[in-house]
Amino acid sequence: MQIYNIMLLIHLFCAIIFIGFLFADIFVIKALDSKYENAQEIKKPIYNKAVKIYPFSVLLLILSGGYMFSKYINSSLGYIENNLQILLLVKFFLVLIIALGILYSLSCKIRKKEPFKIMKHFHLFAFCLTIIITILAKIMFWV
């Protein structure tokens, strides 16, 4: 099996974890707040488990994506020579927005500083971006 195919499988698996957690957090876990008085106690073990898995999967997602990115955009193939490369660059910038949001959130936690209020909606924003990224991933090979 080629290294690219291995990276693709790693990337897809990590994307499922990433998008799945965002989906669960937005649509399932947040629903606990309105149903249970002790929602924080219920959510704590879920988030504790996610904190162990999530950063590693995000790192693998970015590294495998970077490897695959380099196969389509490089000095010999060009950077904006065809539609696939243009859509791939759009995906890259959307991923960069998500990565910067993650880094900002982590830096706030490390510094024990309150993030901007808009970051309360970051998971929803990141989820919407991941849906767009997923659609672009499929469209890239159609054009």
Side-chain angles (χ1 to χ4, degrees):
M1 188 180 273
Q2 295 176 341
I3 187 87
Y4 181 87
N5 291 334
I6 293 169
M7 289 295 176
L8 179 61
L9 287 174
I10 291 169
H11 192 73
L12 290 174
F13 183 69
C14 291
I16 290 168
I17 292 170
F18 185 80
I19 296 170
F21 175 74
L22 290 175
F23 179 85
D25 186 51
I26 295 165
F27 298 107
V28 178
I29 297 171
K30 292 279 190 252
L32 295 174
D33 291 333
S34 62
K35 298 285 183 189
Y36 301 99
E37 291 177 14
N38 62 343
Q40 292 304 325
E41 290 179 39
I42 297 170
K43 292 193 288 189
K44 190 173 183 176
I46 296 169
Y47 286 126
N48 286 342
K49 186 64 119 175
V51 164
K52 293 176 184 172
I53 300 167
Y54 204 61
F56 183 67
S57 69
V58 170
L59 180 63
L60 281 177
L61 182 64
I62 291 171
L63 292 175
S64 60
Y67 176 83
M68 293 187 305
F69 180 87
S70 71
K71 292 298 182 184
Y72 295 101
I73 294 181
N74 57 48
S75 58
S76 62
L77 294 174
Y79 300 97
I80 52 172
E81 304 298 320
N82 56 47
N83 291 337
L84 183 141
Q85 290 176 330
I86 293 168
L87 291 175
L88 190 54
L89 284 172
V90 170
K91 278 181 55 179
F92 171 78
F93 287 114
L94 296 177
V95 168
L96 186 61
I97 292 169
I98 294 171
L100 289 173
I102 291 169
L103 289 174
Y104 173 72
S105 292
L106 288 174
S107 73
C108 287
K109 285 185 192 229
I110 291 169
R111 295 179 297 150
K112 295 181 174 133
K113 192 173 181 182
E114 190 69 27
F116 294 123
K117 290 188 189 264
I118 196 166
M119 291 303 284
K120 288 184 180 189
H121 306 289
F122 180 70
H123 279 182
L124 179 59
F125 180 68
F127 180 73
C128 292
L129 288 180
T130 59
I131 297 301
I132 294 168
I133 290 166
T134 304
I135 292 167
L136 287 175
K138 191 63 180 170
I139 292 173
M140 279 180 359
F141 294 100
W142 292 351
V143 294

